[in-house]
Amino acid sequence: MGYNCCIAQKDESSHETYSHEGIRVMSTTISLPSPLRVRLAALRGRIRLLRAVGRLALLVIVLGLLAAAAVLADYWLDLPALMRQIILLTWVAVGVVWFVQGVLGPLFRRIDAPALAALIEEKYPDLGERLSSAVELADGSSEGHGSPLLIALLLEETVAQSEPLDFRSAVPARRAAVLAVLGAVTLLLLAAPALIWPQQYSEWAQRFFRSSNDVASAEVPEDIADTENVTPIPPVELADDSPTITITPPAYARSVKEEEAFHGLVDLAPLQYSVMRFDFRFTRPAVAGYLEEWPATSDETPDKPTRHPLTLSADRQAASLAIPAMNESKYRLILEGEHGTRTELPGGTIHVQLDQPPSVRRLTGKTETRSVLPYERIPFEIEAADDIGVAGMELEYRVNDGEIVRQTLEVEGANTPSAVVRHVLDLAGKVQEDDLFSYRFRVSDNFPQQYKGPHVTIHPPDEWLTLRIARRGNTLEQQEILTQRDEINRRLQAIRESLLQEKRDLSRVKEEMRQQASLTPDPLDSMKQLRRENQDNQKALRDLAQSAEEVSALPPVAELARDVADREMHKSQQALDSVSPPASPAEASRQLQSADQQLNAAIKRMDELKKTNDRLAQERLNQAKLEMLAQREKHLAEQAAELATRHPVLDPKAREVAEKLKREQAETTGELERLTQESEPLKRSLQQAQQEEARKLAERARELAKAQRDLAREEAKTKRKSTADRTEPPTAQQKEQQLQLQQDTGELSRQFQRLSQEARSSWPMQSALQRATGDSQQAQQTMQQARDQGQRGEAPAENQSQERAAQLLDQAAQAASEAARSPSQPGNEGKPKSGNSQAGKALAKAGQQMSEAQGQLNRGQAAQAQSAMQQAARALAQAAQQRAASSANAPRQSGMPGQQPGLGRQAGGLPDLSAYGLDQAAFAGKSWGELPGELRTKIVHDMKARYGDDYARMIKSYFEQIADTKKK
């Protein structure tokens, strides 16, 4: 490189001076350039500062650890005063020596410039040894070191190359910073206990600074304490009713457990994680206080119990302490007064109550393995309990040995000690035929997660409840209905046998009295036995009634059983009670005969009870089957939707699935048809809906007949105004009207035909509808004939054909009206129809949709079949709801005659005869028994048609009782 040098020589005080670009170099001495000198001085100060900071931080860490170790040792070992004084002096000495040598020393220690230069060159190797050479040549003589000009060039080059470099990075501050942070953390850790336990923290520290006073006190001669002039210092004692102990339960349990307060050092029974707050009051100021705690399993106080320092008040005459209730333990109180006085007060036992896991109180349904259908809905009810609160329940299930699935259930009464879940498990879409469905329940309480909660209980604990999925069979509801029916029949049979035994015993007593002709002690003893049997039978009947009332569908059985107990059995009891001295033998025989008659009546009514129970069970079974059909049809619709997404060519199993679906749909359709034929209520509902539809079709036929005659008259008027040959055809509008009438008549004929096919269960209705179908078809053909005749210009023949078509429609309307008036069941001709027309309409719609779906499946139209199946499922569900509502609104025995219109009781105990077209005044003053037999039979027959066989007899008995009451 070239240099622009300018060298000047000058005689100045016998020294030669050389100048090179502003650097002045003396011939005898060499000085370090000012920029380097300033930067090296700054680096030297940085090194001293970092050393001082690091040593000071290290001093804080060491002294902090020593202080913490000393306080903990004193806390656990209760060090004597001399030992605490030695520890304090040692701690101070270590701090002073370290501060002088480790902190102040580095601040005044010399740091050589060559060492700094070597440190910088180690950081920046590109400098080579220029900086070290410059530092060594600086402030020294130039003699012996070469040309001054070269030295100046070296210094110049060193300044130029070091100018962009940061000398401070050669001395990193990381180590000093880390030590400073550790020192700050140490100070924070030492100060933290002071924020939490300020009083105890102050006392722990003061124990070391009071060591000198304690030592001085310890050196006082013992004989001074024996002097008579020294007054003893009283110890610190608790004030009356102190302490007050307040137990605050944890937050999650406060809705169940309330805060409790106790006085004195007594036994406690807090819930785990409760807060126990002790508030003390003293008789004199205290220096310190502790609550010592140790496990309750120890009979004696251990050497090192857990010590909880008390927080003293400003006047030191009160203190407080709050500790959590964790484990069962015992406790005592220690108080320290002035001059080392010490008071130990025994406490009590802390019986910590653990939060218990939840339990299952009740689970409805049977637990053994049962067979169910793949589309069945399983209702269940589970009740759980917990000492604090039940938080939630889950259903766990798996199919065969597959993956366990959890389903959250809706809980009634969540976070309370008792909770209930009512849920319906829908198996559709979860299982297939021959699967094994296993399920159980998970019950969890509200024990918080922060305490390693919640507690979870599995029910059943060691097993799964299992359901076997079968293709055919009864649903669980049907099985339950059959079980209830059989159980009631079994009890009825047992009561009937007991009544027969009572009757045999009664006959034996009658024979004994007839032979002895007096009331001897033996017959009287037998009478006591008869009375006991009668009372037992009455109790059995009332128990049966109570059991039947618990089933929502069996109140008629309960009412009948209770009626037998209150009437026949009560009357027989009254007769038996009358057989006692001083009754004469004749009177006793008459009473026994009356009791025998009542027993005969009760035995007959047992058969009536059984029939009623069987009938109600059959109705419930039919209702369950109808609901099952709705579920099955819904399940088939889901399968049809899945089949619609599968391609028969790409999916080989699609054809197999389609065949199975068609087979099951045909079975479901057949089951619905069988059900409507076997169930009288459903049959009546369907027939009533068919009758209503027949009435509407009859009205439609009359409307079409009238429209045909009106159109014929309009055409005749048009022709009379035409030309003289009267062959002008009708107008275009009239032709269109005639065509529309013909099409409407054809649609009416198809509706008559469909309705006649559906009315197979009623021959009179089907026969009338078949006639209506034939008449409407002939009417349609006659209309076509009239149109042809009009086109040929045969006006008279056209008019005759149109009139004939109208007459045929009138005949079809008359036949449809006869179908609407046809009896719904044999023996009820002309009587009001029972059943629910809405349910019948829904059943008819369901049957139509199911037939339509069957046809679409046969044609391979799975998507269209799915829509029809869904509509059929909804119609079946609607029919089931309508039938259930109709059954729920069925009249009961009590109040029925007076509540139903047309059957009310008038004065004198008679029913309202105006409903039968009779004058009430003609039968004024007459009782039920005085009515004509034909009228009584008609009334009872009408009631039987309205309410059923089981209610007819009760209503008759109701009027008989009214008549008896009037006579009395």
Side-chain angles (χ1 to χ4, degrees):
M1 57 180 296
Y3 296 94
N4 183 16
C5 301
C6 179
I7 303 175
Q9 296 183 0
K10 183 179 180 182
D11 184 7
E12 182 181 4
S13 302
S14 68
H15 293 285
E16 293 183 337
T17 303
Y18 302 91
S19 175
H20 177 71
E21 291 188 354
I23 300 176
R24 189 168 176 270
V25 183
M26 300 297 296
S27 61
T28 58
T29 59
I30 301 173
S31 60
L32 194 66
S34 178
L36 287 177
R37 187 182 300 110
V38 172
R39 296 177 69 185
L40 290 176
L43 184 60
R44 186 179 291 109
R46 176 182 174 84
I47 292 174
R48 291 193 178 101
L49 178 61
L50 292 178
R51 286 180 178 176
V53 170
R55 297 294 180 86
L56 182 60
L58 191 58
L59 174 61
V60 171
I61 294 173
V62 173
L63 291 181
L65 294 177
L66 290 176
V71 172
L72 291 176
D74 181 44
Y75 178 79
W76 290 103
L77 302 178
D78 195 11
L79 300 175
L82 180 60
M83 181 61 70
R84 296 198 300 269
Q85 185 178 20
I86 293 173
I87 292 174
L88 178 62
L89 294 177
T90 304
W91 185 77
V92 172
V94 170
V96 171
V97 172
W98 191 300
F99 181 77
V100 172
Q101 294 184 357
V103 179
L104 297 180
L107 293 177
F108 301 100
R109 186 173 300 166
R110 176 180 177 82
I111 301 176
D112 296 334
L116 292 177
L119 189 63
I120 295 171
E121 289 174 346
E122 183 180 356
K123 176 66 176 177
Y124 302 106
D126 293 342
L127 288 176
E129 295 183 356
R130 291 182 181 85
L131 185 58
S132 298
S133 300
V135 170
E136 290 176 357
L137 294 173
D139 299 330
S141 174
S142 63
E143 297 180 359
H145 294 289
S147 171
L149 179 59
L150 294 176
I151 294 175
L153 291 174
L154 175 63
L155 294 177
E156 178 186 1
E157 185 179 2
T158 303
V159 171
Q161 290 189 359
S162 63
E163 184 176 0
L165 303 179
D166 185 9
F167 287 0
R168 293 180 302 173
S169 61
V171 183
R174 181 177 180 181
R175 182 174 181 273
V178 171
L179 291 175
V181 171
L182 292 177
V185 171
T186 302
L187 290 177
L188 291 176
L189 292 177
L190 290 175
L195 300 176
I196 302 175
W197 305 291
Q199 183 69 28
Q200 294 88 333
Y201 193 81
S202 175
E203 292 176 359
W204 291 341
Q206 290 177 7
R207 283 174 58 85
F208 287 90
F209 295 100
R210 292 200 309 263
S211 300
S212 58
N213 296 333
D214 295 341
V215 173
S217 300
E219 293 177 353
V220 175
E222 296 181 358
D223 56 356
I224 296 179
D226 297 334
T227 58
E228 297 180 357
N229 296 328
V230 176
T231 303
I233 299 175
V236 179
E237 299 288 349
L238 288 174
D240 295 338
D241 294 334
S242 180
T244 298
I245 306 175
T246 305
I247 299 179
T248 303
Y252 80 95
R254 290 174 188 170
S255 61
V256 177
K257 291 187 174 294
E258 298 180 352
E259 188 176 82
E260 298 179 292
F262 304 91
H263 296 282
L265 299 174
V266 297
D267 292 345
L268 305 173
L271 180 67
Q272 192 178 33
Y273 302 108
S274 298
V275 176
M276 301 179 294
R277 178 180 176 84
F278 297 80
D279 292 304
F280 301 94
R281 292 184 297 106
F282 308 135
T283 56
R284 57 185 295 106
V287 174
Y290 311 96
L291 187 75
E292 292 186 341
E293 186 181 8
W294 63 93
T297 55
S298 302
D299 296 335
E300 299 181 357
T301 305
D303 296 335
K304 297 180 181 179
T306 302
R307 175 174 289 184
H308 304 285
L310 306 183
T311 301
L312 298 176
S313 62
D315 60 359
R316 296 188 298 164
Q317 286 194 302
S320 63
L321 172 66
I323 57 175
M326 300 300 296
N327 300 302
E328 189 157 338
S329 61
K330 296 180 181 179
Y331 71 96
R332 68 176 180 179
L333 180 65
I334 297 177
L335 301 175
E336 294 182 0
E338 299 175 352
H339 302 289
T341 58
R342 180 184 176 95
T343 304
E344 294 185 3
L345 299 175
T349 302
I350 302 176
H351 301 281
V352 175
Q353 305 298 318
L354 302 180
D355 188 299
Q356 299 299 318
S359 61
V360 174
R361 288 181 179 174
R362 173 175 54 88
L363 174 61
T364 58
K366 300 178 181 179
T367 58
E368 67 271 9
T369 301
R370 296 165 291 175
S371 296
V372 297
L373 302 177
Y375 42 82
E376 194 167 343
R377 303 175 78 241
I378 312 298
F380 62 81
E381 179 176 334
I382 180 172
E383 181 182 1
D386 186 69
D387 54 345
I388 304 299
V390 179
M393 297 190 210
E394 293 177 310
L395 172 67
E396 280 189 345
Y397 67 87
R398 66 184 182 188
V399 179
N400 299 323
D401 294 327
E403 181 181 357
I404 296 177
V405 180
R406 288 185 185 177
Q407 178 181 351
T408 301
L409 304 177
E410 184 177 353
V411 179
E412 299 177 11
N415 296 318
T416 62
S418 180
V420 177
V421 166
R422 297 177 178 89
H423 184 72
V424 178
L425 174 60
D426 193 351
L427 294 178
K430 298 182 177 67
V431 295
Q432 300 295 331
E433 296 174 5
D434 300 326
D435 283 343
L436 186 65
F437 184 86
S438 304
Y439 67 99
R440 64 185 182 184
F441 301 92
R442 289 173 56 90
V443 184
S444 58
D445 62 6
N446 62 346
F447 195 54
Q449 188 175 4
Q450 67 186 82
Y451 303 142
K452 299 181 180 180
H455 296 132
V456 177
T457 297
I458 305 296
H459 184 81
D462 301 323
E463 61 179 347
W464 291 78
L465 303 176
T466 56
L467 301 172
R468 294 191 180 276
I469 311 303
R471 183 170 180 269
R472 298 179 180 273
N474 293 327
T475 64
L476 289 181
E477 183 180 4
Q478 294 171 5
Q479 296 174 24
E480 186 70 19
I481 292 172
L482 293 174
T483 300
Q484 293 172 352
R485 181 201 64 184
D486 295 342
E487 174 62 20
I488 290 179
N489 284 343
R490 183 191 62 78
R491 296 175 66 176
L492 287 174
Q493 181 63 27
I495 295 173
R496 189 177 189 280
E497 293 176 357
S498 181
L499 290 175
L500 290 173
Q501 180 63 40
E502 182 181 354
K503 179 175 172 57
R504 287 192 292 269
D505 293 343
L506 179 61
S507 299
R508 179 177 52 80
V509 172
K510 287 169 56 178
E511 181 65 22
E512 292 177 356
M513 293 183 62
R514 186 183 65 81
Q515 294 178 357
Q516 297 176 4
S518 62
L519 295 178
T520 61
D522 291 340
L524 291 179
D525 293 339
S526 299
M527 289 299 304
K528 292 180 181 179
Q529 178 66 25
L530 280 175
R531 295 187 186 104
R532 282 195 298 268
E533 291 179 0
N534 187 280
Q535 293 173 358
D536 292 341
N537 289 330
Q538 290 188 53
K539 183 177 183 302
L541 284 167
R542 292 190 173 92
D543 291 344
L544 175 64
Q546 184 176 359
S547 300
E549 282 180 341
E550 297 176 357
V551 182
S552 59
L554 296 181
V557 174
E559 293 171 355
L560 279 172
R562 190 173 286 110
D563 186 63
V564 174
D566 294 341
R567 294 187 57 204
E568 284 83 359
M569 297 305 299
H570 182 66
K571 288 181 179 180
S572 63
Q573 179 187 356
Q574 290 178 337
L576 293 175
D577 291 341
S578 301
V579 182
S580 59
S584 63
E587 176 64 19
S589 177
R590 189 179 67 83
Q591 294 295 340
L592 290 177
Q593 183 64 29
S594 175
D596 186 63
Q597 294 175 354
Q598 295 298 329
L599 287 177
N600 286 332
I603 292 171
K604 292 180 180 179
R605 296 194 69 182
M606 289 297 100
D607 298 333
E608 180 185 349
L609 262 170
K610 183 179 183 304
K611 292 179 180 179
T612 301
N613 181 46
D614 292 341
R615 181 183 60 80
L616 292 176
Q618 188 60 47
E619 291 180 0
R620 294 169 63 197
L621 284 173
N622 294 336
Q623 178 71 19
K625 289 179 181 179
L626 187 59
E627 295 173 355
M628 180 269 294
L629 284 176
Q631 292 298 323
R632 185 174 184 182
E633 191 66 20
K634 180 181 177 182
H635 180 57
L636 292 178
E638 295 173 354
Q639 291 182 347
E642 182 181 357
L643 179 62
T645 62
R646 306 172 72 169
H647 197 283
V649 177
L650 301 178
D651 190 349
K653 293 185 178 180
R655 184 180 301 275
E656 179 182 350
V657 174
E659 292 297 328
K660 178 182 177 183
L661 187 59
K662 286 190 292 185
R663 184 176 63 254
E664 292 188 357
Q665 179 61 48
E667 291 177 357
T668 305
T669 305
E671 288 179 8
L672 177 61
E673 184 175 353
R674 286 192 298 272
L675 181 61
T676 53
Q677 294 299 321
E678 294 172 358
S679 173
E680 287 299 327
L682 291 180
K683 185 189 298 184
R684 289 195 298 267
S685 297
L686 186 58
Q687 290 176 350
Q688 186 174 357
Q690 292 169 351
Q691 289 170 343
E692 291 184 7
E693 187 175 0
R695 282 193 291 270
K696 292 180 181 179
L697 292 178
E699 185 64 27
R700 178 59 176 162
R702 294 188 185 95
E703 293 176 355
L704 292 177
K706 183 177 181 299
Q708 178 64 68
R709 290 189 175 94
D710 292 343
L711 182 59
R713 284 195 295 269
E714 290 179 1
E715 290 181 358
K717 291 180 182 178
T718 302
K719 293 176 181 178
R720 282 196 298 269
K721 295 179 182 179
S722 63
T723 58
D725 57 1
R726 307 176 65 86
T727 58
E728 181 178 342
T731 64
Q733 182 179 2
Q734 291 172 346
K735 290 181 179 180
E736 183 178 353
Q737 291 177 354
Q738 184 65 45
L739 178 61
Q740 184 63 43
L741 276 174
Q742 183 179 352
Q743 293 175 352
D744 291 345
T745 303
E747 177 62 26
L748 179 65
S749 175
R750 287 188 292 272
Q751 292 181 2
F752 276 135
Q753 185 176 10
R754 175 188 55 80
L755 189 58
S756 66
Q757 293 175 354
E758 295 176 357
R760 290 188 298 269
S761 60
S762 175
W763 183 86
M765 181 186 295
Q766 187 180 36
S767 177
L769 290 173
Q770 287 175 350
R771 294 199 311 272
T773 302
D775 292 338
S776 59
Q777 289 175 351
Q778 291 182 18
Q780 183 186 15
Q781 296 172 1
T782 305
M783 288 179 181
Q784 179 62 40
Q785 182 179 357
R787 290 181 62 205
D788 296 339
Q789 291 169 347
Q791 291 177 357
R792 293 193 300 267
E794 301 174 0
E798 180 185 4
N799 292 337
Q800 292 178 1
S801 297
Q802 289 176 341
E803 179 60 28
R804 176 58 179 166
Q807 292 175 358
L808 289 171
L809 286 174
D810 286 337
Q811 294 177 13
Q814 184 177 0
S817 298
E818 292 178 7
R821 292 192 300 270
S822 62
S824 59
Q825 59 181 349
N828 280 348
E829 291 78 6
K831 301 300 183 294
K833 311 297 184 299
S834 62
N836 189 293
S837 61
Q838 297 297 328
K841 292 178 182 178
L843 283 173
K845 181 179 179 182
Q848 296 172 13
Q849 294 296 331
M850 292 169 73
S851 299
E852 182 178 347
Q854 184 67 38
Q856 291 167 342
L857 287 174
N858 293 334
R859 294 189 295 271
Q861 299 173 346
Q864 293 82 346
Q866 177 208 359
S867 177
M869 289 176 177
Q870 289 177 341
Q871 296 182 34
R874 287 193 291 268
L876 287 171
Q878 181 182 359
Q881 292 176 358
Q882 293 290 345
R883 284 303 311 160
S886 178
S887 300
N889 295 328
R892 295 285 183 256
Q893 174 185 2
S894 58
M896 188 192 322
Q899 293 175 1
Q900 297 300 319
L903 292 176
R905 177 173 60 85
Q906 302 295 326
L910 292 178
D912 186 2
L913 302 182
S914 61
Y916 304 94
L918 299 176
D919 184 9
Q920 184 74 26
F923 300 94
K926 295 183 178 181
S927 65
W928 170 261
E930 296 172 337
L931 292 178
E934 181 182 357
L935 179 58
R936 293 201 305 266
T937 302
K938 188 175 182 180
I939 293 174
V940 173
H941 189 76
D942 190 8
M943 293 177 179
K944 184 183 298 183
R946 290 175 181 242
Y947 310 119
D949 295 338
D950 54 333
Y951 289 113
R953 192 177 190 284
M954 288 188 291
I955 296 172
K956 179 182 176 182
S957 300
Y958 171 79
F959 290 123
E960 289 177 348
Q961 285 183 330
I962 292 175
D964 293 342
T965 303
K966 180 185 175 184
K967 292 178 181 179
K968 293 178 182 179

